């Protein structure tokens, strides 16, 4: 099977990916960072009454001419409306947010008035009719769409939803991502290692990335290199209605690499296997019924690079979130040789120079088994297939991993 270009592989993985049709109803306090699954209609009108935008005096504009003295009739504060209409030749002391009394059509701000001793208010500067009054419904009205389906629920949207009196919101369900590590050699962190055994570290990094991208995680643990163990794990993923099954390792076609065989034996339609990238060539993609399958390589850097490039955008698409776009440009700090037919993702540092430009420095060691190199990396420097030699100071694309 020929090596598939990275962009084509991503396009095929994302093809047809869409959020679940049935929304999840959550309390408002739990909705930050989610995506609205339905248009949200206002359950009330805001403001529900004409309200004062300033502290001052509610008046009739035609009476409140400069030099006029108006009789102080009462007071209106937020949550405490003045009871009754405004009498002729009178005013009501009013505070920001309070309902404007019936008959008043202007606010004389307190800076333009003096309160006299005998219950009168002196107008020093005449107000304009309608000035400093917020009309009822100026913000939103009951029954009208306030937030559109697909809106990311940021703090502003959450505040608006609360103001519309929604205690619960219909949000896009988080995709369920099942993660399965495979291999006789794997043990969990903290366990004693026997001869030839290693720690299953990839699972935790991939799970963290998937969770950060918007998924709920189903941990399928570790399956040894036996068909029975793999079948049991697949049964669990299907029973828990995983939207995506991520396998780590074992997707090649060697005698001990049984993952692809187990999946195709259960009816998986294999889309592709092997792509033109480094690290991460042995990437597998397919579908088992409605469950998408993504087989990541076993080497740590390969696994994480593929997770960033393919799993993260798949999850965000299924979660209804905006597609991640972390590709930026930077200045190369070192010369790089010409490239072959595979697209390279070089782990590297990313700093800002005194001119405010991003500078990318590739790590001197790029072996896909090196975990510290990846943990220290701030970016992946992207080298397209057959790229000519690149000189220090030239522009390159980088995928930003962390600030």
């Amino acid at each position: 099977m020929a090596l598939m270009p990275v962009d084509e592989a991503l396009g095929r993985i994302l093809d047809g990916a869409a959020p679940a049709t049935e929304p999840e109803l959550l309390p408002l306090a739990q909705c930050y960072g989610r995506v609205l699954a339905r248009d949200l209609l206002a359950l009330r009108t805001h403001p529900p009454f004409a309200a004062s935008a300033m502290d001052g005096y509610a008046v009739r504009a035609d009476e409140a001419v400069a030099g006029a003295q108006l009789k102080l009739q009462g007071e209106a504060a937020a949550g405490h409306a003045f009871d009754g209409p405004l009498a002729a030749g009178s005013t009501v002391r009013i505070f920001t947010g309070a309902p404007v009394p019936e008959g008043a059509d202007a606010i004389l701000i307190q800076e333009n008035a003096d309160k006299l001793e005998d219950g009168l208010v002196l107008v020093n500067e005449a107000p304009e009719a309608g000035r400093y009054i917020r009309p009822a419904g100026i913000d939103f009205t009951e029954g009208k769409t306030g937030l559109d389906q697909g809106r990311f629920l940021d703090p502003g949207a959450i505040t608006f939803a609360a103001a519309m009196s929604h205690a619960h919101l219909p949000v896009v369900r988080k995709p369920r991502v099942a993660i399965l590590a495979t291999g006789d050699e794997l043990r969990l962190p903290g366990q004693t290692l026997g001869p030839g055994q290693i720690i299953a570290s990839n699972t935790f990094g991939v799970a963290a990335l998937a969770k950060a991208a918007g998924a709920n995680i189903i941990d399928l643990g570790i399956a040894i290199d036996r068909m029975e163990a793999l079948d049991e794990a697949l049964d669990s993923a299907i029973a828990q209605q995983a939207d995506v099954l991520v396998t780590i390792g074992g997707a090649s076609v060697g005698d001990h690499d049984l993952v692809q065989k187990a999946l195709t034996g259960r009816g998986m339609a294999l889309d592709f296997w092997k792509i033109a990238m480094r690290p991460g060539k042995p990437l597998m993609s397919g579908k088992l019924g409605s469950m998408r399958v993504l087989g990541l390589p076993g080497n740590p850097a390969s696994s994480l690079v593929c997770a960033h490039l393919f799993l993260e955008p798949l999850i965000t698409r299924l979660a209804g979130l905006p597609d991640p776009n972390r590709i930026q440009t930077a200045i190369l700090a070192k010369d790089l040789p010409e490239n072959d037919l595979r697209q390279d993702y070089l782990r590297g540092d990313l700093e800002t120079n005194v001119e405010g430009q991003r500078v990318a420095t590739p790590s001197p060691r790029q072996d896909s088994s090196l975990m510290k190199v990846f943990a220290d990396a701030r970016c992946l420097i992207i080298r397209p297939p057959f790229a000519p030699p690149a000189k220090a100071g030239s522009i390159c694309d980088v995928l930003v991993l962390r600030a």
Side-chain angles (χ1 to χ4, degrees):
M1 185 179 292
L3 297 182
M4 182 177 292
V6 171
D7 288 345
E8 182 181 348
L10 179 59
R12 289 168 70 158
I13 288 172
L14 296 181
D15 183 42
T21 55
E22 288 300 316
E24 180 181 6
L25 193 64
L26 288 183
L28 182 62
Q30 298 177 23
C31 290
Y32 171 73
R34 303 295 289 271
V35 172
L36 198 59
R38 299 283 187 271
D39 288 348
L40 202 64
L41 306 184
L43 301 179
R44 57 182 292 269
T45 294
H46 181 75
F49 44 75
S52 177
M54 298 286 285
D55 292 345
Y57 298 89
V59 298
R60 287 186 170 87
D62 60 355
E63 295 179 344
V65 297
Q69 295 185 13
L70 304 174
K71 182 179 179 181
L72 187 59
Q73 189 177 354
E75 181 177 288
H80 301 279
F82 174 74
D83 185 17
L86 181 64
S90 299
T91 184
V92 169
R93 179 71 164 118
I94 197 166
F95 297 91
T96 303
V100 176
E102 179 186 347
D105 62 359
I107 301 298
L108 171 65
I109 60 174
Q110 60 188 16
E111 293 87 343
N112 294 337
D114 287 323
K115 187 176 180 181
L116 305 178
E117 291 183 357
D118 51 359
L120 298 176
V121 174
L122 174 65
V123 179
N124 293 321
E125 183 177 323
E128 297 176 22
R131 187 75 183 274
Y132 303 122
I133 294 179
R134 297 170 179 150
I138 190 176
D139 195 358
F140 55 87
T141 56
E142 182 178 352
K144 299 294 185 181
T145 299
L147 292 171
D148 294 329
Q149 177 183 351
R151 170 65 188 264
F152 178 77
L153 294 171
D154 55 18
I158 292 290
T159 302
F160 187 22
M164 291 190 291
S165 199
H166 286 276
H168 294 78
L169 300 183
V171 297
V172 174
R173 176 178 61 79
K174 288 189 175 186
R176 294 180 286 262
V177 175
I179 300 177
L180 174 66
T182 66
D184 289 342
E185 75 279 13
L186 299 180
R187 291 294 181 270
L188 291 173
Q191 291 183 334
T192 300
L193 298 180
Q197 293 180 335
I198 60 173
I199 295 294
S201 57
N202 297 358
T203 303
F204 298 92
V206 171
L209 181 148
K211 186 175 182 180
N216 282 329
I217 307 303
I218 301 170
D219 183 5
L220 298 178
I222 300 171
I224 61 174
D225 293 323
R226 302 290 186 275
M227 292 298 293
E228 297 81 3
L230 292 169
D231 280 336
E232 183 179 346
L234 291 178
D235 287 339
S236 179
I238 293 169
Q240 296 184 70
Q241 298 180 313
D243 299 295
V244 182
L245 169 63
V246 178
T247 63
I248 302 175
S252 297
V253 291
D255 292 341
H256 299 283
D257 297 317
L258 304 178
V259 172
Q260 189 175 138
K261 183 178 179 180
L263 286 163
T264 54
R266 294 289 290 269
M268 181 189 75
L270 178 65
D271 187 15
F272 64 83
W273 174 57
K274 293 186 177 181
I275 53 179
M277 63 179 287
R278 184 176 29 241
K281 180 177 75 171
L283 178 80
M284 178 182 66
S285 177
K287 287 192 75 174
L288 180 57
S290 62
M291 182 172 65
R292 295 170 181 269
V293 178
L294 199 61
L296 304 182
N299 275 345
S302 300
S303 179
L304 286 172
V305 168
C306 286
H308 277 289
L309 292 176
F310 304 108
L311 179 58
E312 182 179 6
L314 175 59
I315 290 171
T316 54
R317 183 72 61 88
L318 294 173
L321 295 164
D323 289 337
N325 182 15
R326 292 174 297 151
I327 305 298
Q328 300 183 11
T329 58
I331 298 172
L332 271 176
K334 295 181 179 180
D335 294 347
L336 291 176
E338 64 181 354
N339 201 13
D340 59 15
L341 58 81
R342 293 162 67 182
Q343 184 151 298
D344 278 348
Y345 292 87
L346 307 175
R347 279 73 73 202
D349 197 14
L350 192 63
E351 297 180 314
T352 302
N353 63 19
V354 293
E355 287 82 23
Q357 301 166 314
R358 288 182 177 271
V359 179
T361 306
S363 169
R365 298 187 300 165
Q366 294 292 330
D367 190 289
S368 60
S369 69
L370 302 179
M371 288 171 276
K372 186 178 187 305
V373 171
F374 198 101
D376 289 343
R378 295 182 181 273
C379 72
L380 299 175
I381 300 169
I382 303 172
R383 293 282 288 149
F386 305 110
K391 294 291 186 180
S394 62
I395 302 299
C396 65
D397 287 334
V398 296
L399 189 155
V400 179
L401 299 175
R402 59 190 180 96

